[in-house]
């Protein structure tokens, strides 16, 4: 009987089709499932979960491709389902603990810093007064800061404040979306070239496998914000830094964003639900197949070994 893999996603499209094709190539089945449709039902099955399409059985493995936004309670339950699957012995790729570390930019930064990895100076505060003092202090030293939503992605909601292009840019109001009363401020790293770029390095199973430059005339380098992917050599320095960042956050796979600075490389962000469509355009192997192979050959093998033990 073929393995049945749940692909947790709130959006069916190119990435899920790639994963399903890669699973079929390995003789496995991939079924898309929205975590918003899952929950607890202790009356139905011994394991106590409601997983549409899986009846009373658990999936053999789970790939997390996307988690829809929602209220605090809704997101807590969705992550709770992933936590429960892990506790029930199902390999979850990446699991809820890892996703929580990377979705929360502040926790990502803190863990990178604790691991001794280079990352820009960062501040958080729920107090607008404290945040404004931080911006003023940095501006007095000639620095710009980037205000980011704590849970944002794809470059949305990023604003430069402080000393920007020779003028002072104040902190906007934090109440309501996208900041929701919290300032996450990170010192802006100016580009070393025009146009500017960063590197996105893909780490799978602890090993850096591919890299690209995301080149843009804008200071935001996300592909969704108009940056173009350019093939890049995966140098030992890039690979080592990306692998260490992924390990610091306990990830099965990761998209690690790295910036060049005058002092060397610095890790900007780590994505635990990384998209790879742009990277695939400049990469010579199937990224989806590499992800599926690592899941089946490493994580599922670990589960079988644990059962035998």
């Amino acid at each position: 009987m073929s393995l049945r893999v749940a692909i947790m996603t709130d959006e069916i499209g190119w990435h899920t089709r790639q994963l399903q094709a890669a699973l079929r190539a390995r003789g496995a089945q991939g079924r898309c499932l929205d975590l918003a449709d899952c929950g607890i039902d202790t009356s139905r099955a011994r394991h106590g979960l409601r997983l549409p399409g899986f009846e009373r059985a658990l999936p053999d493995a789970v790939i997390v491709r996307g988690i829809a936004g929602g209220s605090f309670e809704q997101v807590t339950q969705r992550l709770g389902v992933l936590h429960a699957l892990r506790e029930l012995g199902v390999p979850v790729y990446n699991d809820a603990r890892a996703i929580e570390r990377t979705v929360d930019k502040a926790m990502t930064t803190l863990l990178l810093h604790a691991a001794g990895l280079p990352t820009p100076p960062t501040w958080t505060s729920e107090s607008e007064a404290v945040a404004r003092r931080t911006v003023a202090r940095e501006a007095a030293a000639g620095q710009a800061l980037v205000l980011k939503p704590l849970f944002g992605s794809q470059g949305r909601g990023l604003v430069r404040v402080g000393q920007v292009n020779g003028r002072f840019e104040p902190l906007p109001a934090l109440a309501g979306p996208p900041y929701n009363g919290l300032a996450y401020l990170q010192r802006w790293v100016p580009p070393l070239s025009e146009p500017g770029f960063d590197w996105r390095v893909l780490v799978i199973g602890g090993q850096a496998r591919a890299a690209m430059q995301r080149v843009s005339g804008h200071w935001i380098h996300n592909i969704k914000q108009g940056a173009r992917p350019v093939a890049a050599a995966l140098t030992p320095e890039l690979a080592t830094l990306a692998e260490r960042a992924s390990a610091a956050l306990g990830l099965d796979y990761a998209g690690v964003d790295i910036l060049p600075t005058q002092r060397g490389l610095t890790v900007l962000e780590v994505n635990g639900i990384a998209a790879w469509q742009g990277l695939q355009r400049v990469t010579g192997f199937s990224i989806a197949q590499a992800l599926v192979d690592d899941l089946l050959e490493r994580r599922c093998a670990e589960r079988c070994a644990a059962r035998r033990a």
Side-chain angles (χ1 to χ4, degrees), residues 18 22 204 209 276 280 283-293:
Q18 291 278 306
I204 301 175
R209 297 290 302 276
W276 66 86
Q280 185 64 81
T283 300
F285 63 90
S286 168
I287 292 172
Q289 196 65 62
L291 293 168
V292 165
D293 289 347

Side-chain angles (χ1 to χ4, degrees), residues 250-261:
L251 295 165
D252 289 310
Y253 77 100
V256 184
D257 298 339
I258 297 175
L259 277 170
T261 77

Side-chain angles (χ1 to χ4, degrees), residues 116-253:
L117 298 174
T119 192
T122 303
W123 300 262
T124 66
S125 179
E126 295 184 37
S127 165
E128 280 200 25
V130 170
R132 292 185 191 282
R133 287 199 293 271
T134 300
V135 172
R137 184 180 67 247
E138 287 290 296
Q143 300 287 349
L145 300 175
V146 180
L147 173 67
K148 302 181 181 182
L150 189 70
F151 301 133
S153 63
Q154 298 180 340
R156 292 188 292 261
L158 273 60
V159 176
R160 282 191 297 178
V161 297
Q163 194 68 22
V164 181
N165 296 328
R167 57 178 291 177
F168 179 76
E169 296 291 344
L171 187 80
L174 299 177
Y179 311 112
N180 295 313
L182 181 74
Y184 172 92
L185 294 161
Q186 194 166 58
R187 186 175 290 166
W188 182 58
V189 180
L192 298 184
S193 63
E194 290 293 340
F197 69 91
D198 67 3
W199 286 279
R200 163 60 65 89
V201 180
L202 179 68
V203 179
I204 301 175
Q207 294 188 330
R209 297 290 302 276
M212 67 174 172
Q213 287 185 351
R214 302 186 298 183
V215 181
S216 177
H218 195 272
W219 63 273
I220 300 174
H221 299 135
N222 296 76
I223 298 295
K224 287 286 188 180
Q225 300 296 329
R228 57 187 176 90
V230 176
L234 184 55
T235 65
E237 187 180 13
L238 274 176
T240 298
L241 185 56
E243 289 166 1
R244 290 180 62 199
S246 179
L249 295 164
L251 295 165
D252 289 310
Y253 77 100

Side-chain angles (χ1 to χ4, degrees), residues 12 16 26 34 43 53 58 74 114 122 134 176-177 180 193 217 223 232 251 253 257 288 294 308-309:
I12 296 174
T16 53
R26 291 295 303 266
D34 193 335
S43 72
L58 289 170
Q74 288 171 324
T122 303
T134 300
N180 295 313
S193 63
I223 298 295
L251 295 165
Y253 77 100
D257 298 339
D294 183 55
R308 288 194 298 269

